[in-house]
Amino acid sequence: MPERRYLGKRIKRREDLRLLTGRGLFVDDLSLPGTVYAAFLRSSYAHARIKSIDTTRAEKISGVIGVFTGEYFKDKVQPLMTAWALTGADLKPIKWPVVVHDKARFIGDIVAVAVAEDPYTAYDALEAIEVEYEPLPVVTDMEEAVKPGAPVIHDEAPNNVAFTWRLTGGEDFDSIAAKADHVMRQRLVNHRLIPSAMETRGALAHYNASTGELTVWVTSQNPHVHRLIMSASLGIPEHKLRVIAPDVGGGFGSKIPVYPGELIVSRLAMDLGRPVKWMETRKENFMGTHHGRDHITDFEVAYTRKGEVLGLRVRTLANLGAYLSTAAPGVPTILYGTMLSGPYKIKSVDVEVKGVLTNTTPVDAYRGAGRPEATYLLERVMDLVARELGMDPADVRRVNLVEKAPYNAVTGLIYDSGRYREVFEEALKRAEYSKWREIQSKARKEGRLIGIGISSYIEMCGLAPSRIARATGFGLGLWESAVVRIHPSGKVTVYTGSHPHGQGEETTFAQIVAEELGVPIEDVEIVHGDTAQTPFGMGTYGSRTTPVGGGAIALAARRVKEKARRIAASLLEARVDDVEYSEGKFYVRGHPEKQVTIQEVALASYTADKLPEGEEPGLEATVFYDPENFTFPYGTHVCVVEIDKETFKPKILRYVAVDDIGVVVNPLIAEGQVHGGVIQGLAQALYEYAVFDEAGNLLTAGFNDYMIPTAIDTPNVESYFVETPSPHNPLGVKGVGETGTIASTAAVVNAVLDALSHLGIKHADMPLTPYKIWEILKEKGVKA
Amino acid sequence: MYPPSFKLLVPQSLDEALKMLAEHGGEAKLLAGGHSLIPLMKLRLARPAYVIYLGKLKELSYIREEGDTIRVGALTTHSEIESSELLRERCPLLAETASKIGDRQVRNMGTIGGSIAHADPAADYPAALVALEAEVVLKSVNGERAVKVSDFIKGPYITDIDPQELITEIRIPVVNGAVGSSYEKLVFRASDFAIVGVAALIVLGKDGTAERVRVGMTGVAEGPVRAQGVEEELEGKKITEEDIDKASKKASEGLNPPSDIRASSEYRKAMAEALTRRALIKALSEAKKKA
Ligand SMILES: Cc1cc2nc3c(=O)[nH]c(=O)nc-3n(C[C@H](O)[C@H](O)[C@H](O)COP(=O)(O)OP(=O)(O)OC[C@H]3O[C@@H](n4cnc5c(N)ncnc54)[C@H](O)[C@@H]3O)c2cc1C
């Protein structure tokens, strides 16, 4: 293999210069001549019938252009429905009106819209709108919601169950349980989180009445999907709708769905004949943009006295909030249930998930989406089994880890490639696991609380292929597209259907293309985010951008190179087979002095007078790439914590991550993804939690109350990679965007609970804040 | 997060500011660092018709020692207090407390006058200021008065200030001799307001007995409180660690701290004891070094 110039190199992110110097261009930076501003009145109650709305006072305020209610939008904008209509799960057709007209179902529901010349006036107008509500009984708790007699949120789902999804794989659980030495039951709560991207959501819409073209700038992870859904809901044909997602300040899944906001401003731009803009306030973002996780699970695990985990029966309630968001049904099912064998040789998995509707903010994909929930469950299982058997948690994992890939999990997935056991041992070695066990036992004698947690995970990512996506009821395929265009001067523009928004692919994609084409990386520009420029693509989520989007780009680059080789052969008057390529130059094998540069070939492709017979002018290729399978990154993380004996504050002493993400395109960026991911996952373990009161008000509706850890709170994350190329895509990459989040929650919780294990604590639900730890010990009557 | 409209007034001198207050009093809000007021305005919880910006009044930004008093101007920022040589030398408790407020951005903007006027029940300064027996100086067109911090803060966000008055300075009596102090703050996340904060001050006499013990707490009541049971238990003793262990148990006596989504009242009581112990142990070892 020739020496690599770009792939695998620690190249700094090219996007950082503009982002860090304030030269990024976000939706809120944009404004067109004549722009007016929309503000949304959100419901005062989590569940209430709307009896009347009086807008007269608001409309009289100087500068107010209009106030619009649900009646106005009812027939103009189709309500939102989920795009992941799970097959075979009795999914109820839940509709989400963009502005509610009959009743509000959560505190983020939009009841009226004020449009004014400036945002200040629009918010003044909201205060002058008089709404008469008839409050209805509220249910926020999933277990209450499914009880008979609970308040009904949607008539279409009389028991508040939106779907029931079941997967059974391998041997029957009851028969395997009968053979097992032990069966243990446990209840786990995986609490609700709020994605809280740095940039809130918003949109600016412009309608040209002469051409009938609507252009919408929106904070989206997937502009093409946004266009498709918005086109259907607004009744504007796709070719007249252009969606542009400029720089996007993080999403973590929360900018995948289409929400009412972008539809409202689009419709109003058409009706008012002026550009309409709306940008969420932070409080609105907390209340109205979707949340993540929120499972209650009861499981049974059958295992042998040697620690072999034979089977799992899992019954999960997944809180979906008041409506079914765009991808919501797939998250606690396809992305969770199928992952319940993890990196282990489990012989039986029987999982049933009920999607429950409550008077809370809708729940959808949040970094890791389903896979952190599965990993958390499995890694708690491993530790609990170890506890019951008096084994070292590392040994229980050793008994259960998959030996080699490809591996057919009983849930139906085929793991691509990996050295699961080697990576596990490497993580333990790097973290000095045995040494920490010794330190722990000494520390215990001094009354100190030190704990060690392990988390081994595998994740299904590179979300594709279409065949499988469609079989699960997903509304679209899951391929990706790319155009690689070499201009007459030899410079390269790449158009991708992916939409990186913080992950660094403007850099890594340029590395891939520069490597494939042998051109300087500075000569490659990556264009994304504009439906008028880029081919249809599915977007950036599910750690799919590099494996699927990057795969498409690599294939397009190779196709362009082949065409260039044919043209070069014609210029060099040689046979195509005799023409070789290296570092930007084509030459005739054995005659290196006979050469043309890629730039010369590019120009020739456009002057078009010396093309081979039948060759089209121009030098570009378009590829639509649908991989044959998912990719399966995996790894082992080890965390060491010490709990302060007086304040009960846990402190992470060591955090080691060893991940196999396949070929690492850029270690600097990959490590950054691991760092961020680990911190986002440990945030759930120790800090973040969303709380609704009984009336359905969100008590954690700001950064004051919703505890996102800061740089000061977070540990040094030691990140290492092992590279086993994935056979499923042209680059051998697997994806790294979510690994950290998937692994770390369990690693940290296991560590904290391990620190308390000698005090008789087996399990406690997250978040393990100092107060929670204090309370657990107090309940146990333990004086630490 | 768009506040209702207001009129911004920018006085160039203290006198001008006082005149503006005399005129607009009840309808006006003073703006210092803005780190408490602006969030409230953006949430439309505060809706002043006039905002009087104090930023030009450099005359209210100073740290001076005069006679047996340290005087800190109301507009002095947390970071100026944190890094003041004079305070580090003569009143390290205040500097240490300032260093534990919020994060660097908050400390660069927030002012001591604003913090005291705002009277957040979990603010840090009040714990130290009641332990130091400090006074607040208030001025209006009608004159000037000084009030003890412990009397000035009446409850959560409630103070003994007249709408026409402005805080001009904080006065702290100098404590000489073998003094040790410490501010212990418990947060679940860096840069948060305190779950509980405890300021301790110990002055040792020549023979090593504690002449004065002061413990101020924040986050455990409607405003800052002194742990008088602890103080009494230790004063007049040659304090040992065991004495501190025992006395700290009294830190939560008579307290009924708030419960919220972060922690229960009971936890706060337990933490008041734990932090009192820590603060006293540090203060004692400091004081011993100087004895
Ligand atoms: C993210 C964040 C974290 C924080 N963390 C902490 C923390 O850990 N500990 C802590 O103690 N505080 C914390 N704070 C609060 C911070 O210290 C504030 O700066 C301080 O409470 C108010 O000071 P200010 O100068 O910003 O006042 P402003 O916000 O300008 O004013 C606050 C109030 O005081 C009044 N006021 C201001 N100056 C005067 C004066 N001279 N005379 C009379 N009235 C006056 C104003 O009218 C207003 O009502 C935090 C704030 C933020 C935003």
Side-chain angles (χ1 to χ4, degrees):
Chain A
M1 195 186 246
E3 208 208 314
R4 291 166 159 186
R5 292 167 70 202
Y6 296 111
L7 271 190
K9 297 288 189 295
R10 304 178 75 85
I11 295 172
K12 282 191 184 166
R13 298 186 355 145
R14 53 165 63 174
E15 39 275 81
D16 284 347
L17 186 60
R18 83 168 182 274
L19 294 175
L20 298 180
T21 55
R23 297 195 189 103
L25 193 72
F26 296 87
V27 169
D28 206 21
D29 294 321
L30 299 166
S31 150
L32 298 166
T35 298
V36 294
Y37 297 83
F40 301 151
L41 182 68
R42 309 252 176 190
S43 178
S44 304
Y45 295 90
H47 200 191
R49 208 161 287 292
I50 293 158
K51 293 179 71 180
S52 67
I53 303 181
D54 186 349
T55 59
T56 39
R57 211 156 56 81
E59 278 161 346
K60 284 195 190 121
I61 295 173
S62 148
V64 171
I65 288 158
V67 179
F68 307 88
T69 65
E71 283 305 318
Y72 179 87
F73 289 97
K74 206 161 100 183
D75 301 319
K76 297 188 177 211
V77 182
Q78 292 303 307
L80 286 164
M81 289 181 75
T82 183
W84 205 333
L86 290 179
T87 35
D90 189 22
L91 186 110
K92 305 289 191 271
I94 303 299
K95 294 197 171 96
W96 187 358
V98 293
V99 178
V100 295
H101 42 83
D102 53 351
K103 69 171 188 170
R105 295 176 175 89
F106 80 109
I107 39 100
D109 253 336
I110 299 170
V111 173
V113 182
V115 179
E117 297 288 347
D118 66 80
Y120 295 88
T121 309
Y123 283 91
D124 287 345
L126 292 191
E127 291 184 321
I129 300 172
E130 286 156 27
V131 185
E132 200 188 332
Y133 294 98
E134 177 196 327
L136 298 168
V138 169
V139 62
T140 59
D141 181 301
M142 289 186 264
E143 290 177 305
E144 292 301 321
V146 296
K147 282 185 188 159
V152 176
I153 299 169
H154 291 271
D155 294 339
E156 294 82 357
N159 54 358
N160 297 320
V161 175
F163 60 78
T164 304
W165 181 86
R166 179 98 187 263
L167 172 78
T168 51
E171 270 180 63
D172 171 60
F173 179 81
D174 283 320
S175 61
I176 220 163
K179 283 184 273 176
D181 297 321
H182 306 278
V183 176
M184 182 195 342
R185 288 185 169 75
Q186 178 65 46
R187 179 188 151 99
L188 288 185
V189 178
N190 197 312
H191 63 275
R192 186 181 277 240
L193 299 173
I194 303 180
S196 327
M198 207 184 297
E199 178 205 31
T200 58
R201 290 188 334 95
L204 166 66
H206 172 262
Y207 183 67
N208 185 326
S210 305
T211 61
E213 279 168 351
L214 178 72
T215 305
V216 185
W217 289 263
V218 61
T219 51
S220 171
Q221 297 178 219
N222 32 225
H224 280 282
V225 175
H226 250 88
R227 180 174 68 166
L228 187 63
I229 295 176
M230 289 177 71
S231 156
S233 177
L234 293 166
I236 296 183
E238 258 184 295
H239 68 298
K240 293 288 187 186
L241 178 57
R242 177 178 179 188
V243 172
I244 303 171
D247 278 325
V248 174
F252 311 112
S254 74
K255 290 171 184 168
I256 296 172
V258 177
Y259 293 80
E262 42 268 42
L263 293 167
I264 292 170
V265 294
S266 296
R267 181 68 219 190
L268 289 174
M270 295 166 70
D271 294 353
L272 298 173
R274 289 179 70 177
V276 183
K277 178 168 165 181
W278 152 76
M279 200 72 213
E280 273 178 345
T281 63
R282 182 55 69 181
K283 193 174 164 193
E284 261 189 307
N285 180 265
F286 271 94
M287 299 190 324
T289 286
H290 80 232
H291 294 174
R293 316 258 144 76
D294 209 347
H295 288 192
I296 297 177
T297 296
D298 286 291
F299 71 80
E300 285 168 78
V301 52
Y303 58 102
T304 66
R305 70 180 81 101
K306 289 188 185 139
E308 234 180 312
V309 173
L310 303 175
L312 275 173
R313 177 148 58 199
V314 177
R315 296 293 175 259
T316 294
L317 294 182
N319 195 343
L320 301 172
Y323 301 97
L324 295 185
S325 173
T326 304
V331 175
T333 53
I334 310 297
L335 297 178
Y336 164 73
T338 60
M339 290 311 310
L340 283 173
S341 183
Y344 305 114
K345 299 172 287 182
I346 298 178
K347 296 191 173 74
S348 162
V349 171
D350 171 349
V351 49
E352 185 186 271
V353 181
K354 280 193 196 319
V356 184
L357 297 160
T358 59
N359 296 116
T360 61
T361 305
V363 175
D364 201 332
Y366 174 52
R367 198 171 188 175
R371 292 149 294 168
E373 295 89 314
T375 300
Y376 181 65
L377 190 154
L378 283 168
E379 291 309 293
R380 287 303 299 139
V381 163
M382 292 297 146
D383 269 31
L384 284 164
V385 166
R387 282 295 305 281
E388 288 298 328
L389 295 172
M391 284 174 72
D392 185 320
D395 290 334
V396 173
R397 289 172 174 84
R398 286 189 179 104
V399 171
N400 288 290
L401 278 169
V402 166
E403 270 112 26
K404 59 175 196 289
Y407 176 79
N408 291 13
V410 289
T411 53
L413 299 174
I414 304 168
Y415 301 165
D416 54 353
S417 65
R419 293 170 274 167
Y420 308 107
R421 287 164 175 263
E422 240 177 275
V423 165
F424 177 81
E425 297 301 339
E426 178 162 348
L428 264 55
K429 203 167 118 221
R430 288 201 183 266
E432 301 171 292
Y433 182 78
S434 337
K435 191 189 97 186
W436 278 107
R437 282 281 173 223
E438 282 163 31
I439 295 174
Q440 177 186 44
S441 73
K442 277 203 205 103
R444 278 188 180 166
K445 291 189 190 112
E446 297 160 17
R448 286 165 64 201
L449 302 172
I450 288 186
I452 307 149
I454 306 174
S455 172
S456 287
Y457 72 95
I458 186 161
E459 61 155 321
M460 150 174 71
C461 75
L463 294 187
S466 306
R467 177 173 48 79
I468 296 181
R470 293 288 299 154
T472 68
F474 191 71
L476 287 164
L478 271 177
W479 40 267
E480 208 42 85
S481 64
V483 176
V484 171
R485 179 175 296 156
I486 305 187
H487 304 290
S489 60
K491 308 289 181 198
V492 186
T493 304
V494 178
Y495 303 86
T496 166
S498 304
H499 185 45
H501 47 279
Q503 297 85 348
E505 274 99 353
E506 287 176 23
T507 306
T508 50
F509 281 180
Q511 286 176 260
I512 292 169
V513 173
E515 188 74 50
E516 292 284 345
L517 295 181
V519 298
I521 194 165
E522 299 74 30
D523 286 2
V524 183
E525 198 63 36
I526 307 296
V527 174
H528 58 93
D530 181 350
T531 59
Q533 289 194 65
T534 63
F536 200 105
M538 297 305 165
T540 287
Y541 46 83
S543 308
R544 67 190 301 278
T545 304
T546 303
V548 194
I553 286 174
L555 291 176
R558 287 173 197 176
R559 202 175 285 174
V560 170
K561 199 162 78 183
E562 280 320 303
K563 179 168 181 182
R565 187 196 302 278
R566 294 195 298 272
I567 298 173
S570 159
L571 297 175
L572 294 167
E573 298 176 343
R575 284 179 33 202
V576 176
D577 289 349
D578 291 339
V579 173
E580 303 222 330
Y581 185 68
S582 153
E583 305 212 356
K585 294 186 189 86
F586 292 96
Y587 59 93
V588 181
R589 191 177 304 119
H591 301 275
E593 74 290 351
K594 287 187 76 178
Q595 54 165 262
V596 281
T597 64
I598 182 119
Q599 288 81 8
E600 288 165 329
V601 173
L603 187 60
S605 79
Y606 288 93
T607 57
D609 51 336
K610 289 189 182 133
L611 295 178
E613 219 17 70
E615 196 73 69
E616 289 175 8
L619 196 53
E620 66 177 75
T622 301
V623 165
F624 286 78
Y625 167 58
D626 199 352
E628 63 197 70
N629 197 352
F630 300 98
T631 57
F632 293 89
Y634 66 94
T636 296
H637 291 203
V638 180
C639 173
V640 182
V641 299
E642 174 156 18
I643 300 172
D644 184 300
K645 281 214 32 190
E646 288 174 330
T647 61
F648 304 94
K649 198 168 160 172
K651 183 174 169 27
I652 296 178
L653 304 179
R654 188 99 200 260
Y655 195 100
V656 173
V658 180
D659 299 290
D660 182 352
I661 59 166
V663 171
V664 182
V665 176
N666 182 329
L668 190 66
I669 291 180
E671 284 162 18
Q673 289 293 310
V674 172
H675 292 173
V678 165
I679 286 159
Q680 219 160 345
L682 75 82
Q684 178 177 27
L686 302 180
Y687 297 93
E688 297 180 20
Y689 53 104
V691 189
F692 286 93
D693 68 11
E694 282 184 3
N697 296 306
L698 182 62
L699 301 180
T700 47
F703 289 133
N704 229 354
D705 299 308
Y706 187 76
M707 275 206 294
I708 294 177
T710 69
I712 297 168
D713 299 293
T714 51
N716 179 35
V717 176
E718 301 165 49
S719 164
Y720 304 96
F721 297 111
V722 168
E723 295 192 27
T724 318
S726 172
H728 292 165
N729 63 67
L731 294 165
V733 298
K734 291 181 179 169
V736 65
E738 296 160 304
T739 54
T741 326
I742 291 169
S744 70
T745 308
V748 176
V749 169
N750 281 347
V752 171
L753 294 176
D754 184 60
L756 305 173
S757 61
H758 62 300
L759 303 172
I761 311 295
K762 279 189 195 156
H763 177 74
D765 289 318
M766 307 177 279
L768 297 170
T769 65
Y771 166 57
K772 188 72 168 284
I773 296 170
W774 173 83
E775 210 185 31
I776 296 163
L777 291 175
K778 202 179 63 136
E779 266 170 26
K780 274 266 165 191
V782 177
K783 186 84 188 109
Chain B
M1 310 290 232
Y2 294 90
S5 71
F6 56 86
K7 197 159 177 357
L8 183 68
L9 305 174
V10 187
Q12 302 296 320
S13 69
L14 177 57
D15 282 345
E16 199 188 345
L18 294 177
K19 278 191 202 119
M20 287 172 175
L21 267 181
E23 190 180 341
H24 301 297
E27 283 187 300
K29 271 279 175 199
L30 297 171
L31 175 65
H35 270 49
S36 294
L37 180 60
I38 291 176
L40 287 177
M41 288 175 64
K42 286 172 115 187
L43 290 167
R44 298 191 172 221
L45 294 171
R47 323 174 62 110
Y50 298 89
V51 171
I52 304 173
Y53 176 59
L54 302 179
K56 305 275 173 188
L57 310 187
K58 298 291 173 243
E59 59 207 280
L60 290 186
S61 175
Y62 55 83
I63 300 167
R64 287 198 285 267
E65 183 171 356
E66 282 178 22
D68 51 8
T69 307
I70 292 170
R71 306 162 66 130
V72 181
L75 282 181
T76 313
T77 63
H78 310 331
S79 59
E80 285 161 348
I81 291 173
E82 167 187 7
S83 56
S84 153
E85 288 294 321
L86 184 127
L87 289 175
R88 284 177 174 257
E89 187 68 21
R90 304 291 288 152
C91 187
L93 181 57
L94 195 68
E96 186 191 355
T97 305
S99 76
K100 294 183 176 172
I101 294 175
D103 50 36
R104 175 130 331 268
Q105 290 92 322
V106 172
R107 296 197 292 277
N108 283 344
M109 292 301 290
T111 66
I112 189 167
S115 177
I116 300 306
H118 187 60
D120 189 299
D124 294 302
Y125 284 130
L129 293 175
V130 298
L132 292 163
E133 298 172 79
E135 287 180 338
V136 183
V137 179
L138 298 146
K139 214 168 181 174
S140 74
V141 286
N142 303 321
E144 187 181 282
R145 63 187 177 114
V147 192
K148 285 208 147 133
V149 171
S150 50
D151 295 331
F152 179 71
I153 298 177
K154 300 250 172 243
Y157 314 104
I158 307 168
T159 63
D160 171 30
I161 195 169
D162 186 88
Q164 307 210 337
E165 280 178 324
L166 185 149
I167 298 176
T168 54
E169 77 177 10
I170 311 296
R171 283 185 194 155
I172 303 164
V174 172
V175 194
N176 288 306
V179 195
S181 67
S182 172
Y183 181 63
E184 287 291 312
K185 176 178 182 178
L186 175 66
V187 288
F188 290 175
R189 170 184 61 176
S191 83
D192 271 352
F193 275 94
I195 300 280
V196 175
V198 177
L201 179 92
I202 296 177
V203 187
L204 297 179
K206 293 222 166 53
D207 61 348
T209 51
E211 284 179 349
R212 194 196 305 178
V213 176
R214 292 289 177 271
V215 176
M217 300 188 285
T218 189
V220 290
E222 307 236 294
V225 284
R226 290 245 311 260
Q228 265 154 354
V230 180
E231 297 174 359
E232 281 159 20
E233 175 87 23
L234 295 174
E235 271 181 7
K237 276 196 184 139
K238 285 190 176 159
I239 308 175
T240 63
E241 269 202 37
E242 290 72 59
D243 293 331
I244 290 178
D245 284 348
K246 190 161 154 247
S248 304
K249 302 226 157 55
K250 299 199 165 174
S252 62
E253 260 176 17
L255 287 183
N256 184 18
S259 283
D260 58 22
I261 55 170
R262 278 233 178 134
S264 69
S265 177
E266 242 193 294
Y267 175 77
R268 285 187 165 87
K269 278 168 106 167
M271 290 308 109
E273 294 176 15
L275 297 197
T276 297
R277 202 180 70 78
R278 280 192 184 177
L280 284 167
I281 284 175
K282 280 196 194 159
L284 181 66
S285 98
E286 284 289 308
K288 278 185 174 163
K289 277 188 219 152
K290 294 192 191 152

